[in-house]
């Protein structure tokens, strides 16, 4: 009987010794997934196409208006001294005020750059989402492994209690308590499997690949630290965040739009060349009889109705002021987000150290309780309670790792990385 108990106890201690590890893993697999997402994600492609489309606006607004060709046929010839005029044609080209086309191109370029920053922000956000789902998928993998190990341990508990019952040193209540714990863990395991499938589906959709594709997960998750010192984060976010950069480009576009509006209200020029076909007059003896006529022309468009130009200028000023207010509001929100995520980062860092320490202590206590129970069958409820605590600390350690890396990923997103 004792030999059987010792064998069960040895197997249990062996399992307990393998339930938690603190190794490091390589990040190459995650970086490869990020590259796949950057190439394949349809939302990111749509954002980049919006930027390319905006760039095509630049040559459109920077071109001269199309030249005009006019043709006139005289149903009744216009009689002149040198002969009747049969038809005439003209070619004209309009020219805006000096520098107007360049300013239009500047405005369109600024707006295109604003869309490029939106694309860059979409890419940073995509990377954050991929990382976060990846870390949570890792946690679910480890949670499943830890839960299954604890189920194996409880099965051994059950066998140990049965041996004790046969020896008359325990009651059926011990076995039933183990059954209760096992039922809870089996239900928890089923939920973990279902949740894992949700995250797997989400991850593969972000990469725009088959939802059934496997995900390579490290055995032990690495720890990502802050990319820069905590006290420098806010200034760096203000300088590098893509949403703020996009607003800066809009503000610059409105500055150029103000210059453009003033130039639009200035005169426009038209230069042309005309040709008149003249037939010979048989009754005329003039030297220029039947000679065709060429004539240049120049025109000037005078914008005398000023109200619309004043309204255009006021509109531009209001839009610029709105963009400046939008930037300030965005800075305030980013500041708040930075403080919140920094708090989460520090809390996760503390939880990693705490739960690793607590798991080691709980394992030592459980070892002692198991040894005591194997000899005199006492404190079985305490054995189960400590086994549950060990499970809690193991899962909490893995969750803290996940949360720390997710917080770091969000900080990198705020920084535009």
């Amino acid at each position: 009987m004792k030999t059987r108990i010792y064998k069960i106890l040895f197997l249990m201690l062996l399992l307990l010794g393998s339930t938690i590890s603190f190794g490091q893993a390589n990040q190459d697999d995650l970086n490869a997934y990020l590259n796949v997402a950057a190439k394949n994600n349809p939302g990111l492609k749509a954002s980049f196409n919006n930027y390319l489309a905006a760039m095509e606006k630049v040559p459109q607004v920077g071109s001269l208006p199309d030249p005009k060709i006019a043709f006139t046929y005289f149903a009744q010839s216009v009689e002149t001294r040198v002969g009747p005029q049969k038809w005439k044609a003209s070619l004209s080209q309009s020219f805006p005020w000096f520098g107007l086309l360049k300013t239009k191109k500047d405005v369109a370029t600024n707006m295109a750059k604003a869309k490029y920053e939106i694309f860059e922000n979409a890419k940073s956000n995509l990377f954050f989402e991929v990382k976060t789902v990846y870390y949570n998928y890792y946690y679910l993998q480890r949670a499943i492994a830890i839960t299954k190990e604890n189920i194996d341990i409880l099965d051994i508990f059950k066998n140990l209690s049965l041996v004790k019952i046969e020896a008359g040193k325990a009651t059926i209540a011990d076995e039933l308590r183990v059954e209760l714990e096992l039922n809870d863990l089996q239900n928890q395991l089923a939920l973990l499997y279902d949740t894992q499938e949700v995250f797997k589906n989400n991850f593969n959709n972000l990469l725009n690949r088959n939802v059934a594709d496997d995900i390579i997960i490290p055995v032990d998750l690495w720890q990502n630290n802050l990319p820069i010192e905590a006290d420098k984060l806010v200034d760096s976010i203000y300088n590098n965040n893509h949403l703020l950069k996009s607003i800066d480009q809009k503000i610059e576009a409105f500055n150029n739009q103000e210059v453009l509006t003033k130039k639009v209200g200035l005169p426009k020029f038209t230069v042309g060349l005309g040709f008149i076909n003249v037939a010979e007059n048989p009754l005329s003896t003039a030297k220029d009889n039947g000679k065709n006529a060429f004539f240049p022309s120049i025109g000037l468009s005078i914008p005398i109705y000023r109200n619309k130009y004043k309204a255009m200028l006021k509109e531009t000023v209001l839009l610029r002021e709105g963009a400046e207010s939008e930037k300030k509001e965005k800075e305030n929100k980013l500041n708040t987000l930075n403080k919140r995520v920094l708090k989460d980062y520090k809390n996760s860092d503390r939880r990693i150290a705490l739960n690793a320490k607590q798991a080691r202590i709980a394992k030592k206590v459980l070892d002692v309780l198991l040894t005591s129970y194997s000899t005199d069958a006492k404190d079985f409820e305490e054995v189960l309670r400590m086994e549950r605590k060990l499970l809690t600390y193991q899962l909490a350690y893995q969750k803290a790792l996940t949360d720390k890396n997710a917080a770091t990923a969000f900080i990198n997103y705020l920084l535009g990385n």
Side-chain angles (χ1 to χ4, degrees), residues 248-267:
D248 284 337
Q249 290 296 333
K250 287 182 181 179
I251 292 173
E252 186 61 27
F254 293 137
N255 288 334
N256 287 324
Q257 183 69 38
E258 185 176 352
V259 177
L260 175 63
T261 302
K262 294 175 180 177
K263 290 181 180 292
V264 168
L266 295 174

Side-chain angles (χ1 to χ4, degrees), residues 137 140 192-202 211-212:
Y137 188 81
L140 290 167
L192 289 171
Y193 275 121
D194 290 343
T195 308
Q196 182 188 42
E197 285 303 308
V198 173
F199 277 87
K200 182 178 181 180
N201 184 280
N202 187 4
V211 294

Side-chain angles (χ1 to χ4, degrees), residues 4-169:
R4 186 178 175 189
I5 291 174
Y6 289 143
K7 285 181 178 179
I8 294 174
L9 180 61
F10 174 77
L11 181 58
M12 188 181 302
L13 293 174
L14 188 64
L15 280 171
L16 285 171
S18 65
T19 54
I20 190 165
S21 59
F22 307 100
Q24 295 295 314
N26 197 296
Q27 303 183 44
D28 290 344
D29 291 325
L30 177 56
N31 291 333
Y33 286 137
L34 293 176
N35 289 332
V36 172
K39 293 177 181 177
N40 295 344
N41 184 267
L44 195 59
K45 289 180 179 179
S47 182
F48 188 67
N49 284 336
N50 287 338
Y51 157 67
L52 293 178
M55 283 299 297
E56 294 301 322
K57 199 78 175 175
V58 178
Q60 295 178 47
V61 300
S63 301
L64 288 169
D66 292 333
K68 294 180 180 179
I69 297 177
F71 177 82
T72 303
Y73 179 80
F74 300 110
Q76 184 175 355
S77 301
V78 179
E79 295 292 340
T80 67
R81 182 180 61 86
V82 294
Q85 295 180 357
K86 296 292 187 181
W87 55 269
K88 70 175 181 179
S90 63
L91 172 66
S92 62
Q93 174 68 60
S94 295
F95 296 91
W97 192 261
F98 306 104
L100 186 140
L101 292 181
K102 180 183 180 303
T103 309
K104 279 188 174 182
K105 291 174 67 175
D106 290 341
V107 172
T109 300
N110 290 137
M111 286 301 187
K113 288 181 178 179
K115 288 189 178 293
Y116 178 78
E117 294 299 337
I118 294 296
F119 157 72
E120 286 290 345
N121 181 74
K123 184 170 72 171
S124 295
N125 184 64
L126 174 63
F127 283 2
F128 163 67
E129 289 188 48
V130 170
K131 290 176 183 177
T132 302
V133 176
Y134 183 85
Y135 298 143
N136 279 284
Y137 188 81
Y138 159 82
Y139 167 72
L140 290 167
Q141 288 277 67
R142 295 296 292 124
I144 287 170
I146 292 171
T147 303
K148 290 171 71 174
E149 288 172 357
N150 277 269
I151 288 174
D152 291 340
I153 292 171
L154 285 177
D155 282 333
I156 296 175
F157 277 176
K158 186 177 180 180
N159 291 330
L160 184 59
S161 64
L162 289 173
V163 172
K164 288 289 185 180
I165 291 170
E166 291 175 4
K169 295 182 178 180

